[in-house]
Amino acid sequence: MKAVGVFRYGGPEVLEVVDLPVPEVGPGQIRIRVPAAAVNPSDVLLRTGFTDPMLAGRLTPPYRPGMDAAGVVDAIAPDAATDLRVGDRVMAIVIPIDPSGGAYAEYVAVDARQVVRAPAGTTHAEAGCDQ
């Protein structure tokens, strides 16, 4: 899958398109195909190195920014506590400092508690941004 990652800190020029494996759903997780992810101030903190104390030694670059995502449920772990189904339109809070990485990717796998149904009538872009 394509994702946006950071191997070194700096300005917007350090963002790189990278190829990563599609994440598998782990226990209690939902995988989302992500056509829309928001850009927000926390992404700048990751890109410029502010979050390095939370990343270094715990995660391997590329670090992946992005906290807000919207898309379609692609897979659900059998033990996930959710009423969502594959194909549902959803939005999610993604935590870039977790091993799963941030929302700047074609797919994310997150805890089911981080995912909710997208509001009816919204586009993915609208559902995936802070409003």
Side-chain angles (χ1 to χ4, degrees), residues 22-47:
V22 173
E24 297 294 327
V25 288
Q29 289 188 324
I30 293 176
R31 183 172 63 204
I32 304 166
R33 182 180 51 79
V34 180
V39 177
N40 62 55
S42 65
D43 303 329
V44 175
L45 296 177
L46 185 147
R47 179 179 43 80

Side-chain angles (χ1 to χ4, degrees), residues 2-83:
K2 298 289 184 200
V4 174
V6 173
F7 287 95
R8 60 188 172 82
Y9 299 123
E13 71 280 356
V14 303
L15 297 169
E16 297 182 37
V17 176
V18 296
D19 286 308
L20 298 173
V22 173
E24 297 294 327
V25 288
Q29 289 188 324
I30 293 176
R31 183 172 63 204
I32 304 166
R33 182 180 51 79
V34 180
V39 177
N40 62 55
S42 65
D43 303 329
V44 175
L45 296 177
L46 185 147
R47 179 179 43 80
T48 59
F50 184 83
T51 58
D52 186 66
M54 294 171 262
L55 300 170
R58 279 186 353 111
L59 303 178
T60 303
Y63 304 134
R64 203 169 70 218
M67 291 189 67
D68 307 297
V72 177
V73 174
D74 179 68
I76 302 173
D79 66 340
T82 184
D83 63 347

Side-chain angles (χ1 to χ4, degrees), residues 49-120:
F50 184 83
T51 58
D52 186 66
M54 294 171 262
L55 300 170
R58 279 186 353 111
L59 303 178
T60 303
Y63 304 134
R64 203 169 70 218
M67 291 189 67
D68 307 297
V72 177
V73 174
D74 179 68
I76 302 173
D79 66 340
T82 184
D83 63 347
L84 296 169
R85 300 289 174 250
V86 170
D88 285 349
R89 293 182 61 257
V90 296
M91 56 190 195
I93 295 175
V94 184
I95 304 172
I97 61 173
D98 281 350
S100 58
Y104 290 12
E106 291 180 296
Y107 292 88
V108 296
V110 296
D111 188 288
R113 295 172 293 183
Q114 295 168 235
V115 184
V116 297
R117 200 172 312 280

